[in-house]
Amino acid sequence: MTTSEENALLIQTGPGTPCGELHRRYWQPVALSQELPPGGAPLTVRLLSEDLVLFRADGGRPALLGLHCAHRGADLSYGRIEDGGLRCIYHGWLYDVNGRCLEQPGEPSSSTFHERIRHRAYPCQEVGGIIYTYMGPGEPTRLPPFEFVRIAPENRDNMKSFADCNYLQGNEGNLDPVHLSFLHQLTIDEPESGRAYNAQCRQPAIETEDTEFGVRIYAVRSVSGERNYVRVTNFILPNFSAVTGNTDGYTVNWHVPIDDEHHWRYFIRFSRTQPLGQGNWWRGSSKSLTPDLHLKKNRANRYGQDRSSFDQAFAGLGPDFLLHDTCAVEGPGPIEDRAEEHLAYTDRGIVASRAALLQAIRDVQEGRDPKGVARGPSAQPDLVVRSDALLPASVDWRHYWDDESLVPELTSAGHG
Ligand code: FES
Ligand SMILES: [Fe+2]
């Protein structure tokens, strides 16, 4: 059971909060590259309860500064991108990408006051079609060389959507393999698919194990008593997960706090072998998302639920998994009161992931680097994302991945 105190610890990510300090030890997505076209306007972003402005400095390099000018607080997203930085339109102060104030053109020319201004600035790197930032203290940690940041552009597909609730609700939704048997079920005839196995067996056995990046959650479903379908959900601290998707790579769902009551869900998928048609999700999103990446169907219109369609879709919400998930995770309201929950056997993955998150928060509080954080040239473990497996019931699935090189890919048409 999660207490009110633990809940507060888990959900608050603003500056100075313990979980906010944890999130600031890891590089976090700040925008998709597509959101910030070269030559375009600066983008206002709110991230971990901080108001910031993202822009491409001369040469196209992304930069992230505090939104409000250090002089008298004007909004720098209206600023002019010129002379190696961003110039406030109120009195012309010019900031470079590191937050140094290069010019204060209205001050006496003998003034050196600008040299003593340090505006808030966070380092950025743009890899794999996403702009990441590090908002922690000191020398930035390293962004691990995840496959999805190294993959060729044509083999990946990124998207994001807004969620009107705390990041942890969204993340725990993706860590929960049991809802696949309910929330996402559709009456589609695909007898040999992850979706069909999820429908056939609604009472999976759940096991968890700690990993170097977080927690792995196994959901084992019996298929006709002859085989086992093992769904593997990989929780990567502090706020994302990776699962087998509909490619031979994997799918990431990264839940990035805007503030304590809102977050962005970034989706990243890739194939190790084939072009995906870059921008598939981006182009296809216009049907379900507004131009600013909010779901058109949302709480205000009851997510478009059609209760006469329960025979086709368990949730009566049509086939869109994103819509299903958003309805479910926004259901508790902006911040779920976890002290009111009744966690059951099938929530073992949720329990293990919360324990890992609380441990990571303690690690930072006690001056240690949490799991998955690497600095300098130190060796960093590879993120091993285990894919789903379909095995004869006579095989002990726990040893299936012992030799990763022998493991065949199973594309499950699954989803987290
Ligand atoms: S408020 Fe920005 S220069 Fe004065
Ligand atoms: Fe889901």
Side-chain angles (χ1 to χ4, degrees):
M1 134 142 198
T2 300
T3 65
S4 297
E5 293 72 26
E6 286 169 335
N7 197 38
L9 204 53
L10 291 164
I11 59 97
Q12 293 172 4
T13 57
T17 60
C19 198
E21 289 303 304
L22 175 70
H23 278 70
R24 284 167 175 76
R25 296 305 190 275
Y26 301 85
W27 288 82
Q28 296 285 336
V30 57
L32 301 174
S33 293
Q34 296 103 305
E35 293 182 88
L36 198 68
L43 199 64
T44 302
V45 294
R46 189 164 162 77
L47 184 59
L48 303 175
S49 299
E50 296 188 40
D51 289 313
L52 305 165
V53 57
L54 182 68
F55 66 102
R56 290 191 188 277
D58 300 342
R61 182 178 154 207
L64 188 61
L65 299 179
L67 180 64
H68 296 288
C69 180
H71 179 212
R72 279 172 38 217
D75 182 332
L76 289 173
S77 71
Y78 294 96
R80 300 162 61 110
I81 300 170
E82 60 188 20
D83 300 329
L86 184 62
R87 190 183 294 281
C88 180
I89 58 168
Y90 202 174
H91 313 95
W93 288 22
L94 175 68
Y95 300 96
D96 76 3
V97 299
N98 300 311
R100 277 189 294 261
C101 185
L102 302 179
E103 294 176 11
Q104 294 168 333
E107 295 299 299
S109 37
S110 59
S111 168
T112 57
F113 183 42
H114 68 95
E115 292 170 6
R116 298 192 292 283
I117 300 293
R118 254 316 165 111
H119 192 51
R120 197 148 34 113
Y122 296 119
C124 294
Q125 56 178 308
E126 186 169 19
V127 279
I130 290 179
I131 300 166
Y132 295 87
T133 188
Y134 176 80
M135 295 169 67
E139 192 61 25
T141 58
R142 278 193 286 136
L143 176 65
F146 298 127
E147 270 188 282
F148 58 84
V149 305
R150 290 184 281 119
I151 200 81
E154 60 274 18
N155 287 34
R156 65 170 146 76
D157 190 9
N158 301 332
M159 195 50 197
K160 77 186 226 188
S161 78
F162 174 82
D164 196 12
C165 65
N166 184 261
Y167 83 97
L168 189 59
Q169 282 156 241
N171 200 48
E172 290 187 342
N174 284 108
L175 298 181
D176 170 4
V178 182
H179 80 291
L180 300 172
S181 295
F182 302 93
L183 180 71
H184 295 310
Q185 277 302 312
L186 306 173
T187 46
I188 290 177
D189 194 18
E190 294 173 297
E192 290 297 324
S193 68
R195 183 177 288 147
Y197 310 142
N198 292 332
Q200 280 172 35
C201 176
R202 309 206 298 183
Q203 298 174 340
I206 308 283
E207 295 195 17
T208 67
E209 68 184 1
D210 290 338
T211 69
E212 287 176 296
F213 279 83
V215 175
R216 230 180 247 133
I217 301 159
Y218 299 92
V220 185
R221 289 177 165 92
S222 173
V223 180
S224 312
E226 295 161 4
R227 293 175 293 172
N228 281 323
Y229 168 52
V230 187
R231 172 77 173 168
V232 191
T233 305
N234 304 269
F235 169 43
I236 297 102
L237 283 161
N239 59 338
F240 76 91
S241 60
V243 290
T244 300
N246 58 2
T247 69
D248 61 13
Y250 55 81
T251 298
V252 164
N253 285 280
W254 199 323
H255 296 271
V256 182
I258 297 170
D259 52 32
D260 292 346
E261 299 191 349
H262 311 91
H263 73 272
W264 290 110
R265 173 177 176 174
Y266 285 76
F267 319 87
I268 306 164
R269 66 177 184 136
F270 69 94
S271 165
R272 297 183 177 113
T273 56
Q274 290 167 20
L276 290 178
Q278 194 191 359
N280 272 352
W281 279 346
W282 181 259
R283 278 201 301 273
S285 65
S286 59
K287 284 189 228 106
S288 56
L289 298 175
T290 61
D292 63 353
L293 307 175
H294 287 49
L295 273 170
K296 292 176 183 169
K297 293 180 183 171
N298 52 46
R299 189 186 284 130
N301 51 31
R302 296 194 61 80
Y303 304 91
Q305 190 188 41
D306 174 4
R307 301 178 63 82
S308 69
S309 70
F310 281 150
D311 57 333
Q312 294 146 45
F314 185 83
L317 294 168
D320 182 352
F321 280 38
L322 172 59
L323 184 63
H324 307 162
D325 282 335
T326 307
C327 176
V329 304
E330 290 181 351
I335 297 176
E336 183 188 352
D337 180 358
R338 289 178 174 75
E340 293 293 315
E341 291 174 331
H342 297 82
L343 295 176
Y345 166 82
T346 45
D347 297 308
R348 295 174 95 177
I350 303 295
V351 171
S353 65
R354 279 184 204 166
L357 201 45
L358 287 167
Q359 180 58 51
I361 290 170
R362 270 195 300 277
D363 287 341
V364 175
Q365 284 178 316
E366 293 167 8
R368 291 185 297 274
D369 272 336
K371 274 185 176 183
V373 163
R375 296 178 187 274
S378 65
Q380 189 160 30
D382 271 344
L383 170 62
V384 176
V385 171
R386 293 186 170 170
S387 50
D388 297 353
L390 185 62
L391 302 171
S394 55
V395 171
D396 183 351
W397 60 267
R398 289 173 197 81
H399 296 297
Y400 178 65
W401 293 271
D402 285 354
D403 184 347
E404 301 275 349
S405 66
L406 299 178
V407 174
E409 302 296 337
L410 172 78
T411 297
S412 73
H415 167 78

